[in-house]
C-alpha cells in the first residue's frame, strides 16, 4: 500500500510484530530492496545494496562497535546498530547509513521509518490535503472504527 504525503510516498512493509527487536525484514519497494531493522523498538531502513561492491548489505551480521580510551580498556557500544556487508565486511550504521570504514566518501541510502496504527493508515486526510483540498466547517456524525495492531511504514 502506498500513500502520498508531502511529496513522499509511504509503504506499509508489515506489522510491528513481524520485526521483533534485534531482527530485520528485507522487502522490495518499487524495485528497491530495502532492509527494515528493529533496534530496541526503534525502526530504521537502509538500501540492501552495499555502496562498496553492491553486496546484499542487509543480509549481513548486525553488531556493535568496540571503542577504547587506552590500551587494555575497551567497551562494546551500540550493540545491534551496525550492519556488516557479507561480501567484504564493510560496516554501516543502520540509524544513519554512515560508513565507519570510509566515512567521508561512503554512505548507504537510508529511509525514514515510522510505526502507524491501522486506524492512522486508514485516514484519507493526508492524500486529500496533498491534493490541495481543505476541510470544511461542517462535520457529519461519525462512529469510531478501529483496527488492532501497529504497522511499520517506510517513507520514500
Amino acid at each position: 500500500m502506498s500513500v502520498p504525503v508531502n511529496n513522499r510516498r509511504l509503504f506499509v512493509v508489515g506489522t510491528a510484530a513481524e520485526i521483533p527487536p534485534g531482527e530485520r525484514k528485507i522487502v522490495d519497494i518499487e524495485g528497491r530492496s530495502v532492509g527494515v531493522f528493529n533496534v530496541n523498538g526503534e525502526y530504521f531502513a537502509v538500501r540492501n545494496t552495499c555502496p562498496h561492491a553492491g553486496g546484499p548489505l542487509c543480509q549481513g551480521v548486525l553488531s556493535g562497535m568496540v571503542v577504547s580510551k587506552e590500551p587494555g580498556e575497551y567497551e562494546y557500544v551500540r550493540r545491534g546498530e551496525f550492519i556488516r556487508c557479507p561480501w567484504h565486511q564493510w560496516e554501516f550504521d543502520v540509524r544513519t547509513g554512515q560508513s565507519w570504514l570510509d566515512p567521508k566518501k561512503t554512505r548507504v541510502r537510508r529511509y525514514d521509518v515510522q510505526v502507524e496504527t491501522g486506524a492512522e493508515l486508514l485516514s484519507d486526510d493526508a492524500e486529500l490535503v496533498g491534493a490541495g483540498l481543505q476541510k470544511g466547517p461542517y462535520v457529519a456524525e461519525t462512529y469510531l472504527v478501529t483496527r488492532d495492531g501497529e504497522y511499520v511504514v517506510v517513507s520514500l
Side-chain angles (χ1 to χ4, degrees):
M1 178 174 117
S2 168
V3 178
V5 177
N6 297 330
N7 295 327
R8 302 204 66 155
R9 289 168 294 142
L10 305 178
F11 296 87
V12 176
V13 298
T15 64
E18 289 179 63
I19 314 170
E23 298 295 327
R24 75 197 82 175
K25 181 176 183 180
I26 299 173
V27 296
D28 182 84
I29 301 175
E30 293 193 334
R32 295 182 184 111
S33 182
V34 175
V36 182
F37 297 85
N38 180 338
V39 178
N40 300 320
E42 292 182 87
Y43 293 87
F44 303 95
V46 297
R47 185 103 185 234
N48 185 23
T49 304
C50 181
H52 166 239
L57 179 63
C58 298
Q59 295 177 14
V61 173
L62 270 174
S63 66
M65 287 282 191
V66 175
V67 295
S68 176
K69 293 180 181 169
E70 61 186 75
E73 185 177 309
Y74 65 91
E75 184 178 4
Y76 189 68
V77 299
R78 298 184 55 191
R79 180 181 301 272
E81 296 183 20
F82 295 90
I83 186 72
R84 186 178 315 136
C85 181
W87 283 9
H88 301 105
Q89 311 303 306
W90 282 43
E91 295 173 320
F92 297 87
D93 186 332
V94 296
R95 291 179 177 272
T96 63
Q98 182 67 58
S99 164
W100 287 85
L101 179 66
D102 187 8
K104 293 184 178 173
K105 293 182 181 175
T106 308
R107 175 180 285 260
V108 68
R109 174 85 165 120
R110 66 167 289 282
Y111 303 98
D112 292 332
V113 180
Q114 61 229 28
V115 176
E116 304 278 353
T117 65
E120 290 167 329
L121 290 171
L122 292 174
S123 172
D124 291 333
D125 288 349
E127 189 172 20
L128 296 175
V129 171
L133 298 175
Q134 295 181 348
K135 288 184 178 181
Y138 305 106
V139 179
E141 185 174 342
T142 60
Y143 303 94
L144 179 64
V145 178
T146 61
R147 290 185 62 134
D148 288 338
E150 294 178 318
Y151 297 87
V152 178
V153 179
V154 174
S155 175
L156 296 185

